[in-house]
Amino acid sequence: MAGGRQGTRRQGTRSQGTRTLPGTLLRILGLSCLWITAQAQMKIPPETVQQWATVFSVQLRDLTTKYSGSLLLQKKLQDVESIVRIVELDGGELVKDYSDQIERMLGRKMKSVKRLAESAEDADLYHDYNATMKFDYYNSMVINSVDEDGNSLELGGDFPLEENEHFNKLLVNTLQSDIQVPTNVYNKDPNILNAVYNSEALNDVFIGNFQKDPTLTWQFFGSSTGFFRIYPGIKWTPDSNGVAAFDCRNRNWYIQAATSPKDIIIMVDISGSMKGLKMTIAKHTINTILDTLGENDFVNVIAYTDYVRYVEPCFKGTLVQADLDNREHFKQLVDELHVKGEAKIKNAMKESFKILNEARASGRGSMCNQAIMLITDGAMEDFESVFEEFNWPERRVRVFTYLIGREMTFAQNTKWIACNNKGFYTHISTLADVQENVMEYLHVLSRPMVINHDHDIIWTEAYMDTVLPSTKELFTTKAQSLLLMTSVAMPVFSKKKETLSHGILLGVVGTDIPLMEVMKLAPRYMLGAHGYAFLITNNGYILAHPDLRPLYKDGKKLKPKPNYNSVDLSEVEWEDTQEKLRTSMVRGETGFIRQSIRASVDKKKRPLFLVNDYFYTNIDETPFSFGMVLTRGHGRLMFIGNVSVEEGLHDLTSPDLSIATEWTYCETNIDPSHRRYSQLQAAIRYLLGLEPDLECDEVLLQQTLFDAAVTAPLEAYWNALMLNDRVEPGLETAFLGTRAGLTRIMRYAGVETRVAKRFLTAVDKENLFTVDHFPLWYRLAVENTPGSFYYYPVNDKGVKYVIAATAVTVSSEGKMAMAGAIGLQMSLDFLEKLFWAVAKQPSDTDCSAIEGVCPLSCESADLNCFLVDNNGFVVLSKERSEVGRFFGEVDGSVMASLIKMGMFKKVSLFDYQAMCKNIHHHASSGRRLLSPLSSLAALTRWIFSNALTFLLDFSLWGLWHPDYYVDAKAGYHASHKQKKVDVLQPCDTQYPGFMYDSSVREANNLIKCGRCQKMFVVQQVY
């Protein structure tokens, strides 16, 4: 891959905001927030609300503490403090250890690919071409298919397929590979048959590689003739039109392996003679050329008539990186080209040579191959002087010419240009000719590599394999960023002496590497609740990162974002405003950076202030860099316990206990016989000595055993409550989790009566330990004061309930580490019953000393009562529809007052991976796009611009109207007219989060709104 990234990258404003120490942020448990619309002489007595808050605080705390068992768990941890030790993790050592493991893993993949390349070249060396060859092979499109008479189709036949867990539960044949041939390639062409026959030798190598490295996934050979051999063999599914459009020669791994990095100038003739079908073919040719470029290539597009026009004026005189964003942008601009005038090739050719020469002289671009692609229906001028001035005699720039249309009048001139500049001439008369003719330039550029036998290993950027069936469905159940993959590939050359000087590329071999398997080498438990690991390319693009979101929802469908594999590290780690982290990693350096950051959890609704330590290093023999984040404080402190295997095993088999199914306690993917075991089963069998050959994480297993023993009393405690206490309806689930991924669950309510039926089940990924995150309740609890419960509402597809969670700790030698989190899930019915019983005064209340409304009751139609969490989201309201919504959306005037009074602080957050709907169709560098949290942004805009005016004549729902849009920073100058299509497009957004300031315990105020006024009283629930 090329060195540091160049070209255009989206940039948005990144304001810093006020930082607060993490320990002071999340102490509040909830707010009892009340307001009333009444006459001026009416008043809500603050002392009444304070009394309610005090009583409710005690009742809620006692109930949550009792039924969660938090005090018991904390006591058990204190009892073992004398036998535990707390260690501070050495991030520098860990990042070196993990990167070494990744390097060894990727090294095994490279060795497999090299064996494939050697076998393919040897098979060709000893094969004599047979023009009349007849050879039957397994065509993946027709295997296991029969005609009307029940006979196997030609090139089909019986091809056994079995479901295989290792290959995403697809039907595969691990004893045989098969062949896919694009519809536009004749599957019995002599060239195809000879090449397929040669590649049969790869079958044994495929199987041998898989036996040597059982973690291998798909292995393949893409032939320069167009066919694709894949192992294990599969049944290939055509598209909805019955067409096999997949052509391996268009895939990024093929193109990168077949050619070196390159600088390309595309010159297109837009004179009047190019009108109609010619222009359509020319545009398709440009798009096809752009599709052959990758992030290591650099490009620009020039349209010419009697003057030179850059299709993107912002890119005048330079080359830009051919990443997905730029390629798609060029395509959109090319689509809007119109023909006019007379073609003058000379000035455009001069301009192209100047760009390439300046790039080479200044060390920019790819610093490798350079070429000009001339697309025209004829060249009539005297252009020889241009080549004499800029390209001869060295001929550093190759010129490829594409003659468009059926006329051959100027074919000789066009051919002369290519042949005298080490290029290639081709004639394209129909749209069907474009694909094959464009691909020819790749073979020309590959010749120096072939002649020199430069077997360069290449690695692709992250990509989503949507070619294979059922792959997209996985993204609904797994972490999106970790279902991407990268490929390692290598070119295959002809070694025959008689053709060696011609430089014949036979094809490309490769294998896919799921990024999830790579990132599992950085164990989740070592990283902590907010820590994570990530991989980037030496262009700064993300391969794997927990905040990478490659998919978006369009209606009910999940779709890949247009730029999903060209998301820059700076667009995710946006607090790295000076790009120190990015620059160091792109350079392949090893180091450490500490940054104070604003993070967010719970679908970006809840901001957190963290201090992160970033450790990074390069992965040798690859273009990748590995990074790891440990959060200061509890993230870097981990306690180590010790318990006998016998004692721990007894508790590990408890029915209420489970461990993280996506973590690697024992490696079950090496020996196929181990794949039938779950992680818990594998761990138990290893500890019992039944599977001594299993490779297990001894540290994680020891900690899991210790956690199982320490938390075991909770099982008896919860069961005793069930047997001896009348657990009130609505107290549904008690739960706990530890850093080792251990979870214990007590279901107080049966599945028939339980409201939160999905909570802590296999489909509830947000609340489980997964390969890329700790449960949400765990992450919120550890940022709260240990012992104090954090309450928050959940809206799970319309099912609403409340979760309370708190952290438990262990101390040793003056250090304190987080041992885990424990909590209780309850229904809204239960919490409402508890709250409404407290929030009312009896009718016989002595009101003589109370100034204001007395008796006061939340059941009154004149009084609205709310319980609000410390990020401003409604926990309880009379209106169920308001639960889980931001309080500013329910009553913006009160929320605005609370912000003004300092009870809530605004935190600016950024999203550089948003998808926005283009509603306002106008050309502007700052397009007005829909923010993903537009209502929050609208509130902020209102508060900080016209707060006073809106307070005077306030329209509640007008403020939070869903059609309110915010500016998103566009990545390009909009030099072209926007298409009038309401489609989602990548955009950059800024939006606010809100955090309660625990130093403000109470507030009350009177809001005037025209002729009426309303009073509100807010009191902290302790």
Side-chain angles (χ1 to χ4, degrees), residues 113-152:
V113 169
K114 288 177 181 177
R115 285 192 287 267
L116 290 172
E118 290 169 1
S119 175
E121 290 182 349
D122 288 345
D124 175 75
L125 179 62
Y126 300 111
H127 172 73
D128 293 325
Y129 184 83
N130 182 355
T132 60
M133 172 175 278
K134 293 183 179 180
F135 176 68
D136 289 334
Y137 58 90
Y138 286 113
N139 187 315
S140 61
M141 285 279 286
V142 294
I143 56 170
N144 301 332
S145 299
V146 295
D147 58 21
E148 295 177 353
D149 299 324
N151 299 316
S152 295

mmCIF file of all heavy atoms in Angstrom, residues 113-152:
data_model
loop_
_atom_site.group_PDB
_atom_site.id
_atom_site.type_symbol
_atom_site.label_atom_id
_atom_site.label_comp_id
_atom_site.label_asym_id
_atom_site.label_seq_id
_atom_site.Cartn_x
_atom_site.Cartn_y
_atom_site.Cartn_z
ATOM 1 N N VAL A 113 -1.081 -18.629 1.130
ATOM 2 C CA VAL A 113 -1.225 -18.016 -0.192
ATOM 3 C C VAL A 113 0.016 -18.283 -1.046
ATOM 4 O O VAL A 113 -0.084 -18.551 -2.261
ATOM 5 C CB VAL A 113 -1.491 -16.504 -0.036
ATOM 6 C CG1 VAL A 113 -1.376 -15.793 -1.378
ATOM 7 C CG2 VAL A 113 -2.867 -16.265 0.557
ATOM 8 N N LYS A 114 1.186 -18.242 -0.448
ATOM 9 C CA LYS A 114 2.412 -18.518 -1.204
ATOM 10 C C LYS A 114 2.417 -19.943 -1.729
ATOM 11 O O LYS A 114 2.870 -20.210 -2.855
ATOM 12 C CB LYS A 114 3.638 -18.260 -0.315
ATOM 13 C CG LYS A 114 3.906 -16.789 -0.055
ATOM 14 C CD LYS A 114 5.085 -16.598 0.892
ATOM 15 C CE LYS A 114 5.326 -15.105 1.161
ATOM 16 N NZ LYS A 114 6.425 -14.905 2.136
ATOM 17 N N ARG A 115 1.936 -20.898 -0.928
ATOM 18 C CA ARG A 115 1.862 -22.286 -1.396
ATOM 19 C C ARG A 115 0.925 -22.405 -2.594
ATOM 20 O O ARG A 115 1.186 -23.151 -3.545
ATOM 21 C CB ARG A 115 1.402 -23.194 -0.256
ATOM 22 C CG ARG A 115 2.471 -23.468 0.789
ATOM 23 C CD ARG A 115 2.064 -24.588 1.726
ATOM 24 N NE ARG A 115 1.042 -24.187 2.654
ATOM 25 C CZ ARG A 115 1.277 -23.715 3.880
ATOM 26 N NH1 ARG A 115 2.534 -23.579 4.314
ATOM 27 N NH2 ARG A 115 0.285 -23.378 4.687
ATOM 28 N N LEU A 116 -0.184 -21.657 -2.564
ATOM 29 C CA LEU A 116 -1.114 -21.665 -3.694
ATOM 30 C C LEU A 116 -0.465 -21.100 -4.950
ATOM 31 O O LEU A 116 -0.609 -21.654 -6.048
ATOM 32 C CB LEU A 116 -2.368 -20.857 -3.339
ATOM 33 C CG LEU A 116 -3.317 -21.447 -2.298
ATOM 34 C CD1 LEU A 116 -4.392 -20.436 -1.924
ATOM 35 C CD2 LEU A 116 -3.962 -22.726 -2.819
ATOM 36 N N ALA A 117 0.273 -19.994 -4.804
ATOM 37 C CA ALA A 117 0.908 -19.359 -5.961
ATOM 38 C C ALA A 117 1.947 -20.291 -6.580
ATOM 39 O O ALA A 117 2.029 -20.440 -7.817
ATOM 40 C CB ALA A 117 1.553 -18.041 -5.551
ATOM 41 N N GLU A 118 2.753 -20.934 -5.746
ATOM 42 C CA GLU A 118 3.778 -21.847 -6.250
ATOM 43 C C GLU A 118 3.146 -23.019 -6.999
ATOM 44 O O GLU A 118 3.617 -23.428 -8.073
ATOM 45 C CB GLU A 118 4.628 -22.356 -5.087
ATOM 46 C CG GLU A 118 5.527 -21.291 -4.484
ATOM 47 C CD GLU A 118 6.158 -21.744 -3.176
ATOM 48 O OE1 GLU A 118 5.895 -22.909 -2.767
ATOM 49 O OE2 GLU A 118 6.888 -20.943 -2.565
ATOM 50 N N SER A 119 2.062 -23.567 -6.446
ATOM 51 C CA SER A 119 1.402 -24.700 -7.083
ATOM 52 C C SER A 119 0.795 -24.304 -8.423
ATOM 53 O O SER A 119 0.901 -25.045 -9.412
ATOM 54 C CB SER A 119 0.308 -25.242 -6.157
ATOM 55 O OG SER A 119 -0.422 -26.271 -6.775
ATOM 56 N N ALA A 120 0.162 -23.132 -8.486
ATOM 57 C CA ALA A 120 -0.463 -22.680 -9.731
ATOM 58 C C ALA A 120 0.582 -22.437 -10.812
ATOM 59 O O ALA A 120 0.377 -22.775 -11.991
ATOM 60 C CB ALA A 120 -1.272 -21.412 -9.474
ATOM 61 N N GLU A 121 1.707 -21.850 -10.445
ATOM 62 C CA GLU A 121 2.759 -21.581 -11.428
ATOM 63 C C GLU A 121 3.403 -22.880 -11.931
ATOM 64 O O GLU A 121 3.708 -23.019 -13.120
ATOM 65 C CB GLU A 121 3.813 -20.658 -10.821
ATOM 66 C CG GLU A 121 3.301 -19.247 -10.607
ATOM 67 C CD GLU A 121 4.347 -18.303 -10.038
ATOM 68 O OE1 GLU A 121 5.417 -18.784 -9.606
ATOM 69 O OE2 GLU A 121 4.075 -17.089 -10.025
ATOM 70 N N ASP A 122 3.604 -23.833 -11.028
ATOM 71 C CA ASP A 122 4.190 -25.117 -11.442
ATOM 72 C C ASP A 122 3.242 -25.868 -12.373
ATOM 73 O O ASP A 122 3.682 -26.496 -13.355
ATOM 74 C CB ASP A 122 4.500 -25.970 -10.206
ATOM 75 C CG ASP A 122 5.691 -25.446 -9.424
ATOM 76 O OD1 ASP A 122 6.438 -24.616 -9.975
ATOM 77 O OD2 ASP A 122 5.863 -25.842 -8.253
ATOM 78 N N ALA A 123 1.944 -25.837 -12.063
ATOM 79 C CA ALA A 123 0.970 -26.531 -12.913
ATOM 80 C C ALA A 123 0.982 -25.967 -14.319
ATOM 81 O O ALA A 123 0.912 -26.711 -15.311
ATOM 82 C CB ALA A 123 -0.423 -26.421 -12.294
ATOM 83 N N ASP A 124 1.104 -24.669 -14.461
ATOM 84 C CA ASP A 124 1.147 -24.034 -15.779
ATOM 85 C C ASP A 124 2.451 -24.348 -16.498
ATOM 86 O O ASP A 124 2.469 -24.556 -17.719
ATOM 87 C CB ASP A 124 0.977 -22.522 -15.629
ATOM 88 C CG ASP A 124 1.140 -21.790 -16.949
ATOM 89 O OD1 ASP A 124 0.209 -21.858 -17.778
ATOM 90 O OD2 ASP A 124 2.200 -21.157 -17.150
ATOM 91 N N LEU A 125 3.547 -24.400 -15.736
ATOM 92 C CA LEU A 125 4.874 -24.636 -16.330
ATOM 93 C C LEU A 125 4.927 -25.964 -17.076
ATOM 94 O O LEU A 125 5.524 -26.068 -18.155
ATOM 95 C CB LEU A 125 5.938 -24.592 -15.225
ATOM 96 C CG LEU A 125 7.387 -24.840 -15.663
ATOM 97 C CD1 LEU A 125 7.847 -23.767 -16.652
ATOM 98 C CD2 LEU A 125 8.311 -24.868 -14.439
ATOM 99 N N TYR A 126 4.277 -26.970 -16.512
ATOM 100 C CA TYR A 126 4.360 -28.314 -17.108
ATOM 101 C C TYR A 126 3.121 -28.660 -17.938
ATOM 102 O O TYR A 126 2.897 -29.826 -18.269
ATOM 103 C CB TYR A 126 4.559 -29.348 -15.996
ATOM 104 C CG TYR A 126 5.820 -29.115 -15.206
ATOM 105 C CD1 TYR A 126 5.765 -28.691 -13.885
ATOM 106 C CD2 TYR A 126 7.069 -29.285 -15.795
ATOM 107 C CE1 TYR A 126 6.930 -28.467 -13.165
ATOM 108 C CE2 TYR A 126 8.241 -29.060 -15.087
ATOM 109 C CZ TYR A 126 8.163 -28.639 -13.764
ATOM 110 O OH TYR A 126 9.318 -28.407 -13.067
ATOM 111 N N HIS A 127 2.349 -27.665 -18.288
ATOM 112 C CA HIS A 127 1.157 -27.919 -19.100
ATOM 113 C C HIS A 127 1.341 -27.341 -20.502
ATOM 114 O O HIS A 127 1.753 -26.191 -20.670
ATOM 115 C CB HIS A 127 -0.069 -27.277 -18.446
ATOM 116 C CG HIS A 127 -1.304 -27.324 -19.306
ATOM 117 N ND1 HIS A 127 -2.015 -28.480 -19.523
ATOM 118 C CD2 HIS A 127 -1.932 -26.354 -20.032
ATOM 119 C CE1 HIS A 127 -3.035 -28.229 -20.320
ATOM 120 N NE2 HIS A 127 -3.008 -26.948 -20.648
ATOM 121 N N ASP A 128 1.040 -28.157 -21.506
ATOM 122 C CA ASP A 128 1.066 -27.695 -22.890
ATOM 123 C C ASP A 128 -0.352 -27.340 -23.314
ATOM 124 O O ASP A 128 -1.294 -28.132 -23.125
ATOM 125 C CB ASP A 128 1.619 -28.789 -23.811
ATOM 126 C CG ASP A 128 3.090 -29.068 -23.538
ATOM 127 O OD1 ASP A 128 3.809 -28.105 -23.201
ATOM 128 O OD2 ASP A 128 3.493 -30.246 -23.616
ATOM 129 N N TYR A 129 -0.492 -26.154 -23.859
ATOM 130 C CA TYR A 129 -1.818 -25.662 -24.262
ATOM 131 C C TYR A 129 -2.450 -26.595 -25.294
ATOM 132 O O TYR A 129 -1.807 -27.014 -26.264
ATOM 133 C CB TYR A 129 -1.690 -24.253 -24.826
ATOM 134 C CG TYR A 129 -3.018 -23.626 -25.192
ATOM 135 C CD1 TYR A 129 -3.803 -23.014 -24.234
ATOM 136 C CD2 TYR A 129 -3.479 -23.670 -26.517
ATOM 137 C CE1 TYR A 129 -5.019 -22.437 -24.566
ATOM 138 C CE2 TYR A 129 -4.685 -23.103 -26.862
ATOM 139 C CZ TYR A 129 -5.451 -22.479 -25.882
ATOM 140 O OH TYR A 129 -6.658 -21.918 -26.204
ATOM 141 N N ASN A 130 -3.711 -26.925 -25.097
ATOM 142 C CA ASN A 130 -4.449 -27.815 -25.991
ATOM 143 C C ASN A 130 -5.678 -27.071 -26.512
ATOM 144 O O ASN A 130 -6.635 -26.852 -25.785
ATOM 145 C CB ASN A 130 -4.873 -29.075 -25.237
ATOM 146 C CG ASN A 130 -5.596 -30.068 -26.136
ATOM 147 O OD1 ASN A 130 -5.876 -29.790 -27.313
ATOM 148 N ND2 ASN A 130 -5.922 -31.237 -25.595
ATOM 149 N N ALA A 131 -5.636 -26.663 -27.776
ATOM 150 C CA ALA A 131 -6.717 -25.860 -28.358
ATOM 151 C C ALA A 131 -8.005 -26.636 -28.516
ATOM 152 O O ALA A 131 -9.090 -26.045 -28.630
ATOM 153 C CB ALA A 131 -6.284 -25.302 -29.708
ATOM 154 N N THR A 132 -7.928 -27.968 -28.500
ATOM 155 C CA THR A 132 -9.143 -28.784 -28.677
ATOM 156 C C THR A 132 -9.531 -29.512 -27.385
ATOM 157 O O THR A 132 -10.245 -30.514 -27.421
ATOM 158 C CB THR A 132 -8.917 -29.817 -29.786
ATOM 159 O OG1 THR A 132 -7.824 -30.665 -29.421
ATOM 160 C CG2 THR A 132 -8.638 -29.121 -31.123
ATOM 161 N N MET A 133 -9.058 -28.999 -26.281
ATOM 162 C CA MET A 133 -9.286 -29.679 -25.002
ATOM 163 C C MET A 133 -10.772 -29.794 -24.688
ATOM 164 O O MET A 133 -11.552 -28.859 -24.896
ATOM 165 C CB MET A 133 -8.580 -28.937 -23.866
ATOM 166 C CG MET A 133 -8.923 -29.467 -22.476
ATOM 167 S SD MET A 133 -7.985 -28.673 -21.173
ATOM 168 C CE MET A 133 -6.462 -29.612 -21.249
ATOM 169 N N LYS A 134 -11.136 -30.958 -24.167
ATOM 170 C CA LYS A 134 -12.471 -31.167 -23.616
ATOM 171 C C LYS A 134 -12.295 -31.596 -22.168
ATOM 172 O O LYS A 134 -11.599 -32.583 -21.887
ATOM 173 C CB LYS A 134 -13.229 -32.228 -24.415
ATOM 174 C CG LYS A 134 -13.573 -31.795 -25.825
ATOM 175 C CD LYS A 134 -14.393 -32.856 -26.556
ATOM 176 C CE LYS A 134 -14.747 -32.392 -27.967
ATOM 177 N NZ LYS A 134 -15.556 -33.417 -28.685
ATOM 178 N N PHE A 135 -12.900 -30.861 -21.281
ATOM 179 C CA PHE A 135 -12.677 -31.135 -19.863
ATOM 180 C C PHE A 135 -13.925 -30.725 -19.078
ATOM 181 O O PHE A 135 -14.411 -29.598 -19.211
ATOM 182 C CB PHE A 135 -11.449 -30.346 -19.370
ATOM 183 C CG PHE A 135 -11.186 -30.489 -17.896
ATOM 184 C CD1 PHE A 135 -10.785 -31.700 -17.369
ATOM 185 C CD2 PHE A 135 -11.333 -29.404 -17.047
ATOM 186 C CE1 PHE A 135 -10.547 -31.828 -16.008
ATOM 187 C CE2 PHE A 135 -11.102 -29.526 -15.691
ATOM 188 C CZ PHE A 135 -10.704 -30.743 -15.168
ATOM 189 N N ASP A 136 -14.458 -31.641 -18.309
ATOM 190 C CA ASP A 136 -15.626 -31.338 -17.480
ATOM 191 C C ASP A 136 -15.163 -30.918 -16.079
ATOM 192 O O ASP A 136 -14.288 -31.556 -15.495
ATOM 193 C CB ASP A 136 -16.531 -32.567 -17.354
ATOM 194 C CG ASP A 136 -17.257 -32.874 -18.660
ATOM 195 O OD1 ASP A 136 -17.448 -31.928 -19.451
ATOM 196 O OD2 ASP A 136 -17.601 -34.047 -18.887
ATOM 197 N N TYR A 137 -15.748 -29.862 -15.620
ATOM 198 C CA TYR A 137 -15.418 -29.377 -14.270
ATOM 199 C C TYR A 137 -16.721 -29.045 -13.551
ATOM 200 O O TYR A 137 -17.788 -29.005 -14.159
ATOM 201 C CB TYR A 137 -14.509 -28.146 -14.346
ATOM 202 C CG TYR A 137 -15.086 -26.984 -15.124
ATOM 203 C CD1 TYR A 137 -15.855 -26.008 -14.494
ATOM 204 C CD2 TYR A 137 -14.858 -26.854 -16.497
ATOM 205 C CE1 TYR A 137 -16.388 -24.933 -15.204
ATOM 206 C CE2 TYR A 137 -15.380 -25.800 -17.218
ATOM 207 C CZ TYR A 137 -16.144 -24.831 -16.558
ATOM 208 O OH TYR A 137 -16.681 -23.783 -17.261
ATOM 209 N N TYR A 138 -16.648 -28.830 -12.260
ATOM 210 C CA TYR A 138 -17.828 -28.476 -11.475
ATOM 211 C C TYR A 138 -18.079 -26.978 -11.587
ATOM 212 O O TYR A 138 -17.327 -26.172 -11.031
ATOM 213 C CB TYR A 138 -17.646 -28.868 -10.010
ATOM 214 C CG TYR A 138 -17.753 -30.354 -9.754
ATOM 215 C CD1 TYR A 138 -16.636 -31.085 -9.345
ATOM 216 C CD2 TYR A 138 -18.969 -31.012 -9.918
ATOM 217 C CE1 TYR A 138 -16.737 -32.452 -9.108
ATOM 218 C CE2 TYR A 138 -19.073 -32.379 -9.683
ATOM 219 C CZ TYR A 138 -17.946 -33.092 -9.280
ATOM 220 O OH TYR A 138 -18.059 -34.441 -9.045
ATOM 221 N N ASN A 139 -19.120 -26.620 -12.330
ATOM 222 C CA ASN A 139 -19.527 -25.222 -12.445
ATOM 223 C C ASN A 139 -20.496 -24.926 -11.298
ATOM 224 O O ASN A 139 -21.561 -25.533 -11.201
ATOM 225 C CB ASN A 139 -20.208 -24.982 -13.797
ATOM 226 C CG ASN A 139 -20.498 -23.519 -14.043
ATOM 227 O OD1 ASN A 139 -20.981 -22.811 -13.168
ATOM 228 N ND2 ASN A 139 -20.207 -23.065 -15.259
ATOM 229 N N SER A 140 -20.121 -24.003 -10.423
ATOM 230 C CA SER A 140 -20.883 -23.757 -9.187
ATOM 231 C C SER A 140 -22.303 -23.266 -9.449
ATOM 232 O O SER A 140 -23.155 -23.334 -8.568
ATOM 233 C CB SER A 140 -20.145 -22.751 -8.302
ATOM 234 O OG SER A 140 -20.007 -21.515 -8.977
ATOM 235 N N MET A 141 -22.569 -22.793 -10.665
ATOM 236 C CA MET A 141 -23.912 -22.312 -10.984
ATOM 237 C C MET A 141 -24.885 -23.462 -11.252
ATOM 238 O O MET A 141 -26.093 -23.328 -11.039
ATOM 239 C CB MET A 141 -23.862 -21.401 -12.213
ATOM 240 C CG MET A 141 -23.288 -20.020 -11.950
ATOM 241 S SD MET A 141 -24.507 -18.910 -11.243
ATOM 242 C CE MET A 141 -25.517 -18.580 -12.692
ATOM 243 N N VAL A 142 -24.363 -24.606 -11.703
ATOM 244 C CA VAL A 142 -25.261 -25.675 -12.157
ATOM 245 C C VAL A 142 -25.079 -26.981 -11.405
ATOM 246 O O VAL A 142 -25.731 -27.977 -11.736
ATOM 247 C CB VAL A 142 -25.099 -25.918 -13.670
ATOM 248 C CG1 VAL A 142 -25.557 -24.719 -14.467
ATOM 249 C CG2 VAL A 142 -23.657 -26.288 -14.022
ATOM 250 N N ILE A 143 -24.194 -27.014 -10.395
ATOM 251 C CA ILE A 143 -24.041 -28.258 -9.635
ATOM 252 C C ILE A 143 -25.365 -28.616 -8.960
ATOM 253 O O ILE A 143 -26.155 -27.744 -8.593
ATOM 254 C CB ILE A 143 -22.923 -28.141 -8.571
ATOM 255 C CG1 ILE A 143 -23.186 -26.960 -7.626
ATOM 256 C CG2 ILE A 143 -21.554 -28.043 -9.212
ATOM 257 C CD1 ILE A 143 -22.277 -26.917 -6.427
ATOM 258 N N ASN A 144 -25.589 -29.907 -8.827
ATOM 259 C CA ASN A 144 -26.787 -30.436 -8.153
ATOM 260 C C ASN A 144 -28.090 -29.958 -8.807
ATOM 261 O O ASN A 144 -29.128 -29.887 -8.144
ATOM 262 C CB ASN A 144 -26.791 -30.074 -6.664
ATOM 263 C CG ASN A 144 -25.571 -30.613 -5.940
ATOM 264 O OD1 ASN A 144 -25.006 -31.634 -6.340
ATOM 265 N ND2 ASN A 144 -25.150 -29.936 -4.883
ATOM 266 N N SER A 145 -28.017 -29.601 -10.085
ATOM 267 C CA SER A 145 -29.209 -29.165 -10.812
ATOM 268 C C SER A 145 -29.501 -30.163 -11.927
ATOM 269 O O SER A 145 -28.579 -30.746 -12.517
ATOM 270 C CB SER A 145 -29.002 -27.768 -11.419
ATOM 271 O OG SER A 145 -28.757 -26.819 -10.403
ATOM 272 N N VAL A 146 -30.771 -30.349 -12.201
ATOM 273 C CA VAL A 146 -31.168 -31.318 -13.235
ATOM 274 C C VAL A 146 -32.098 -30.651 -14.242
ATOM 275 O O VAL A 146 -32.713 -29.626 -13.964
ATOM 276 C CB VAL A 146 -31.865 -32.550 -12.603
ATOM 277 C CG1 VAL A 146 -30.898 -33.321 -11.725
ATOM 278 C CG2 VAL A 146 -33.098 -32.123 -11.810
ATOM 279 N N ASP A 147 -32.193 -31.277 -15.412
ATOM 280 C CA ASP A 147 -33.106 -30.763 -16.428
ATOM 281 C C ASP A 147 -34.484 -31.386 -16.228
ATOM 282 O O ASP A 147 -34.748 -32.068 -15.231
ATOM 283 C CB ASP A 147 -32.561 -31.058 -17.829
ATOM 284 C CG ASP A 147 -32.346 -32.548 -18.072
ATOM 285 O OD1 ASP A 147 -32.968 -33.374 -17.350
ATOM 286 O OD2 ASP A 147 -31.572 -32.901 -18.975
ATOM 287 N N GLU A 148 -35.373 -31.157 -17.191
ATOM 288 C CA GLU A 148 -36.749 -31.647 -17.068
ATOM 289 C C GLU A 148 -36.832 -33.167 -16.986
ATOM 290 O O GLU A 148 -37.783 -33.722 -16.426
ATOM 291 C CB GLU A 148 -37.574 -31.137 -18.253
ATOM 292 C CG GLU A 148 -37.732 -29.619 -18.276
ATOM 293 C CD GLU A 148 -38.497 -29.150 -19.504
ATOM 294 O OE1 GLU A 148 -38.774 -29.993 -20.394
ATOM 295 O OE2 GLU A 148 -38.812 -27.944 -19.579
ATOM 296 N N ASP A 149 -35.829 -33.853 -17.540
ATOM 297 C CA ASP A 149 -35.831 -35.312 -17.525
ATOM 298 C C ASP A 149 -35.113 -35.884 -16.309
ATOM 299 O O ASP A 149 -34.935 -37.099 -16.191
ATOM 300 C CB ASP A 149 -35.162 -35.842 -18.799
ATOM 301 C CG ASP A 149 -35.915 -35.406 -20.049
ATOM 302 O OD1 ASP A 149 -37.173 -35.341 -19.986
ATOM 303 O OD2 ASP A 149 -35.259 -35.117 -21.062
ATOM 304 N N GLY A 150 -34.669 -35.013 -15.409
ATOM 305 C CA GLY A 150 -33.989 -35.479 -14.209
ATOM 306 C C GLY A 150 -32.521 -35.753 -14.400
ATOM 307 O O GLY A 150 -31.864 -36.318 -13.504
ATOM 308 N N ASN A 151 -31.958 -35.359 -15.545
ATOM 309 C CA ASN A 151 -30.532 -35.559 -15.793
ATOM 310 C C ASN A 151 -29.730 -34.353 -15.331
ATOM 311 O O ASN A 151 -30.194 -33.209 -15.439
ATOM 312 C CB ASN A 151 -30.291 -35.798 -17.296
ATOM 313 C CG ASN A 151 -31.019 -37.026 -17.795
ATOM 314 O OD1 ASN A 151 -31.017 -38.069 -17.148
ATOM 315 N ND2 ASN A 151 -31.663 -36.881 -18.964
ATOM 316 N N SER A 152 -28.517 -34.599 -14.861
ATOM 317 C CA SER A 152 -27.657 -33.505 -14.412
ATOM 318 C C SER A 152 -27.337 -32.576 -15.570
ATOM 319 O O SER A 152 -27.119 -33.028 -16.713
ATOM 320 C CB SER A 152 -26.355 -34.050 -13.820
ATOM 321 O OG SER A 152 -26.607 -34.794 -12.655
#
